[in-house]
């Protein structure tokens, strides 16, 4: 497929990862649509990127953003503020998926290592992951380790599963921001990355040229699974808030209605 013909919506485009995603997607020949809340903040993007205004917390503001897109990369975040995490980390994913109204778009969702630790705002990232798995869209979910804590010679990608590094500090692992963006963007064109949920780390050595063998080494999420392959089953649906269960039911019903 000619990548020049694919349009990717970058959510969180003004953020510390989103800016790298915009650059990487342009490098890979995508047409880039950067979602911003404040149009003035969109002025610093390369001129080839287009900018669309929308607020993830207002579903009705996202229709123009998703019109005709082929892919979405989610990198938005609120850094631990719990009500923000519900509205933006989780609600932003829910609202973009709803705005798509079944239109097919390949998804790359960034969450975080420790998403399954049941601490702080991480449950909201995990709930966003669950919506993506239930959405019927083709997806990859990337849980990065600590941003830019890598050593100068630490660029070899390491993708792990089971979310076992849970100290909550940089000893859990590190990955460069640029590489997170590159993995998110390359996943959009990779069969080997389909239905994969993984923690993204780095180890000493040069970056792999071809990411597909790294994606291919991972276990795919089971069809209809709520959580990632090898995640602990420590967030049962019957103990989830009713509004969360209702969101999942709605998305599943929509998928059934459209198939
Ligand atoms: N630091 C780490 O080591 C680490 C590791 C793993 C995961 N993470 C997670 O990575 C996430 C993102 O990190 P980052 O450094 O890229 O964050 P960031 O620089 O703060 O960027 C956040 C992005 O989200 C956007 N956003 C927030 N609320 C929005 C809304 N209502 N509508 C539309 N866009 C909205 C922001 O837009 P504006 O410019 O309009 O504010 C910005 O583009 C965080 O949630 C964090 O938990 C961090």
């Amino acid at each position: 497929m000619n990548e020049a013909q694919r349009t990717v919506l970058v959510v969180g485009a003004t953020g510390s990862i989103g800016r790298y995603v915009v650059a990487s997607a342009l490098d890979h020949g995508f047409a880039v649509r950067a979602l911003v809340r404040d149009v003035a903040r969109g002025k610093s993007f390369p001129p080839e990127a287009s900018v669309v205004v929308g607020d993830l917390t207002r579903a009705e503001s996202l229709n123009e953003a998703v019109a005709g897109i082929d892919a979405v990369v989610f990198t938005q975040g609120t850094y631990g503020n719990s009500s923000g995490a519900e509205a933006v980390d989780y609600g932003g994913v829910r609202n973009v998926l709803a705005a798509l109204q079944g239109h097919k778009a390949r998804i790359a969702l960034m969450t975080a290592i420790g998403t399954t630790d049941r601490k702080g705002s991480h449950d909201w990232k995990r709930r966003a992951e669950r919506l993506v798995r239930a959405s019927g869209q083709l997806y990859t979910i990337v849980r990065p380790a600590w941003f830019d804590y890598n050593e100068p010679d630490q660029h070899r990608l390491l993708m792990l599963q089971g979310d076992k590094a849970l100290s909550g500090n940089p000893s859990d692992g590190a990955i460069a921001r640029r590489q997170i963006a590159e993995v998110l963007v390359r996943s959009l064109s990779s069969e080997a990355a389909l239905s994969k949920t993984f923690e993204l780390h780095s180890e000493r050595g040069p970056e792999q040229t071809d990411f597909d063998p790294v994606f291919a080494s991972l276990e795919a999420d089971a069809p209809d699974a709520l959580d990632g392959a090898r995640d602990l089953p420590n967030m049962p649906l019957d103990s989830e808030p009713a509004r969360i269960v209702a969101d999942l039911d709605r998305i599943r019903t929509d998928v059934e209605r459209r198939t």
Side-chain angles (χ1 to χ4, degrees):
M1 173 179 285
N2 179 358
E3 297 289 26
Q5 294 174 344
R6 298 174 77 196
T7 297
V8 61
L9 176 69
V10 182
V11 176
T14 54
S16 86
I17 304 297
R19 289 186 173 280
Y20 281 105
V21 171
V22 169
S24 170
L26 288 171
D27 278 353
H28 286 279
F30 284 86
V32 171
R33 192 179 294 168
L35 181 72
V36 300
R37 288 189 284 185
D38 173 0
V39 75
R41 299 209 60 197
K43 293 204 171 112
S44 55
F45 293 124
E48 310 91 282
S50 68
V51 170
V52 64
V53 176
D55 185 326
L56 291 167
T57 64
R58 292 191 301 111
E60 73 284 0
S61 74
L62 299 170
N63 295 330
E64 188 189 345
V66 302
I69 56 170
D70 301 289
V72 189
V73 180
F74 288 101
T75 66
Q76 80 278 13
T78 48
Y79 275 109
N81 158 346
S82 180
S83 63
E86 175 170 3
V88 176
D89 299 32
Y90 170 76
V93 172
R94 180 197 56 217
N95 292 343
V96 169
L97 291 174
L100 282 166
Q101 295 185 49
H103 170 81
K104 291 293 176 199
R106 180 77 185 249
I107 292 174
L109 170 66
M110 181 184 85
T111 57
I113 55 165
T115 285
T116 65
D117 65 6
R118 304 301 325 260
K119 288 186 186 153
S121 61
H122 281 169
D123 283 354
W124 293 110
K125 292 189 188 292
R126 188 170 183 176
R127 290 172 182 137
E129 292 187 357
R130 288 177 165 191
L131 288 181
V132 167
R133 291 189 195 97
S135 69
Q137 304 282 7
L138 302 180
Y139 72 86
T140 304
I141 295 173
V142 180
R143 298 168 169 169
W146 288 69
F147 298 169
D148 284 343
Y149 274 85
N150 53 306
E151 298 295 332
D153 62 349
Q154 190 183 340
H155 299 296
R156 187 168 176 78
L157 299 174
L158 178 65
M159 298 180 187
L160 303 176
Q161 291 179 295
D163 201 22
K164 295 196 172 72
L166 299 177
S167 327
N169 63 54
S171 71
D172 284 334
I175 179 78
R177 284 178 166 88
R178 181 197 63 75
Q179 291 185 291
I180 298 167
E182 191 65 17
V183 168
L184 288 163
V185 170
R186 290 214 214 169
S187 77
L188 299 174
S189 305
S190 169
E191 287 279 322
L194 276 175
S195 305
K196 303 284 172 74
T197 299
F198 57 90
E199 296 82 54
L200 179 61
H201 297 250
S202 58
E203 54 190 355
R204 285 186 199 281
E207 182 176 283
Q208 297 86 337
T209 312
D210 183 359
F211 293 3
D212 271 1
V214 198
F215 290 134
S217 70
L218 301 167
E219 188 179 333
D221 300 340
D224 302 324
L226 278 177
D227 290 320
R230 304 193 197 175
D231 283 350
L232 279 180
N234 60 351
M235 196 162 86
L237 201 52
D238 57 14
S239 63
E240 282 285 90
R243 65 187 185 284
I244 302 306
V245 177
D247 284 345
L248 263 175
D249 284 346
R250 200 172 304 113
I251 207 162
R252 286 175 167 153
T253 307
D254 280 352
V255 171
E256 278 165 25
R257 193 166 45 80
R258 291 191 172 100
T259 49

